[in-house]
Amino acid sequence: MSKIIDGKAVAAAVLEECRQEVEQLKARGVTPGLAVVLVGEDPASQVYVGSKVRTCGELGIHSEKIVLPTETTQEDLLAVVERLNADPAIHGILVQSPPPPHIDEEAIVRAIDPAKDVDGFHPENVAKLALEDPSGFVPCTPAGCMRLLKEAGVETKGANAVVIGRSMIVGKPMALLLMAKGSDATVTVAHSRSKDLPGICRQADIVIAAVGRPEMVKADWVREGAVVIDVGINRVEDASRKSGFRLTGDVAYPEVAPKCAAITPVPGGVGPMTIAMLMKNTLISAGRS
Ligand code: NAD
């Protein structure tokens, strides 16, 4: 019988820690602040931004939501980032991805003060993660995955971990965290050009799927007793739902789960952890300020 790793419960515990940390910061005269910038009207981004701002409110974190029209220029967006960089009430800045296609996202990320880059995407923070320098910020989703592994009592030391996906947001930082001192996993990173992905996955004690392909990881890819963390969030059509779709991960959960020692569901696994770790990073930043 596999253990279902309850991301909602772990995220709630992380948020409770955050609530206490907010009180401690306020007692020191620091009100933590997060600015969330949304350019355009992407519906999924609107939902993400809304829940980030709402969670700030629930924790007593000051938040500034800046919604800019789709036609906002690179220059105007950079000016907003500069203003937030200079604002002492703001400890974390994030520009919701993806921006409209005319915006150079990389240039925007580089413009954010690395000390306020609570997404952990600025090159300085990427380097610090690779250097195992704790003065940076760890990207929220992989940080959330590590916390889930810890809470589920999964031993990473010496484990064979396979990360599927090599994005800068999930796959690469995930691999760095798993191989870092203290985690000590032996890490394989697979991607769209990997040969024999099922064979690679079958070697794994821990599988992290961060691909964006619904139910790609099948039961015969996963060895008996493996731990599976499913980062994928995919919308698939479902006529039986009022919305017309349902969310599914990158793992074929019904067939994979019975083989696993532990597995995260979608929804209710990694998803809730991402916002919780964003709040953590904002408080870390406020604490350093
Ligand atoms: P991405 O598109 O940037 O990267 C996908 C990676 O998967 C790439 O490295 C690519 O090489 C690899 N890939 C694509 N097709 C493949 C194949 N057939 N076989 C093996 N590898 C393949 O995506 P991302 O931003 O890393 O996100 C991945 C998934 O995680 C998406 O479903 C996304 O929605 C989800 N996500 C969830 C959270 C969360 O909070 N739970 C956060 C970020 C991303």
Side-chain angles (χ1 to χ4, degrees):
M1 228 350 233
S2 64
K3 172 178 173 179
I4 297 165
I5 304 175
D6 184 347
K8 269 196 223 162
V10 178
V14 172
L15 291 176
E16 186 47 43
E17 288 168 22
C18 288
R19 202 168 280 120
Q20 289 169 19
E21 287 168 27
V22 170
E23 274 177 29
Q24 287 160 10
L25 282 163
K26 285 186 173 169
R28 279 170 44 195
V30 179
T31 298
L34 175 69
V36 186
V37 184
L38 172 64
V39 187
E41 289 168 4
D42 179 64
S45 293
Q46 284 174 339
V47 172
Y48 290 138
V49 165
S51 51
K52 286 167 188 176
V53 169
R54 196 171 51 249
T55 309
C56 281
E58 285 163 9
L59 297 180
I61 295 174
H62 162 68
S63 69
E64 193 175 333
K65 177 176 158 185
I66 300 161
V67 181
L68 302 170
T70 309
E71 58 277 11
T72 301
T73 62
Q74 179 86 5
E75 214 177 18
D76 287 347
L77 182 53
L78 283 171
V80 169
V81 170
E82 285 307 328
R83 173 178 73 72
L84 295 168
N85 281 343
D87 185 345
I90 295 298
H91 304 97
I93 303 169
L94 72 86
V95 179
Q96 185 63 44
S97 187
H102 66 277
I103 298 287
D104 176 354
E105 190 173 11
E106 212 177 299
I108 300 298
V109 169
R110 282 171 191 262
I112 295 172
D113 178 350
K116 296 188 178 187
D117 166 43
V118 285
D119 264 340
F121 298 158
H122 189 284
E124 194 172 308
N125 287 317
V126 175
K128 283 182 174 176
L129 181 61
L131 293 164
E132 299 183 28
D133 173 345
S135 71
F137 291 104
V138 177
C140 304
T141 302
C145 293
M146 291 304 291
R147 179 75 188 246
L148 287 177
L149 288 172
K150 190 172 161 221
E151 297 290 336
V154 177
E155 177 63 273
T156 54
K157 190 173 182 172
N160 285 330
V162 170
V163 179
I164 320 175
R166 57 178 165 184
S167 75
M168 293 305 296
I169 295 171
V170 191
K172 264 185 215 167
M174 190 70 229
L176 287 169
L177 288 168
L178 283 163
M179 77 173 81
K181 284 186 205 76
S183 303
D184 300 313
T186 302
V187 182
T188 303
V189 181
H191 47 78
S192 53
R193 301 295 169 96
S194 296
K195 286 183 188 154
D196 187 21
L197 192 53
I200 295 170
C201 287
R202 276 192 289 271
Q203 306 297 315
D205 303 308
I206 301 168
V207 177
I208 312 280
V211 185
R213 291 185 176 248
E215 306 191 346
M216 185 180 83
V217 177
K218 307 293 185 203
D220 64 350
W221 295 30
V222 177
R223 72 164 187 74
E224 202 71 46
V227 173
V228 174
I229 304 289
D230 189 353
V231 182
I233 301 179
N234 309 292
R235 274 184 181 203
V236 294
E237 276 182 32
D238 185 342
S240 71
R241 302 279 174 106
K242 212 167 115 191
S243 60
F245 70 87
R246 67 187 160 87
L247 292 181
T248 183
D250 291 341
V251 176
Y253 187 90
E255 60 181 84
V256 172
K259 294 185 79 176
C260 298
I263 185 167
T264 59
V266 177
V270 176
M273 292 302 292
T274 299
I275 289 191
M277 300 318 277
L278 174 68
M279 298 299 128
K280 269 262 173 211
N281 277 352
T282 303
L283 300 184
I284 290 170
S285 180
R288 287 173 185 162
S289 69

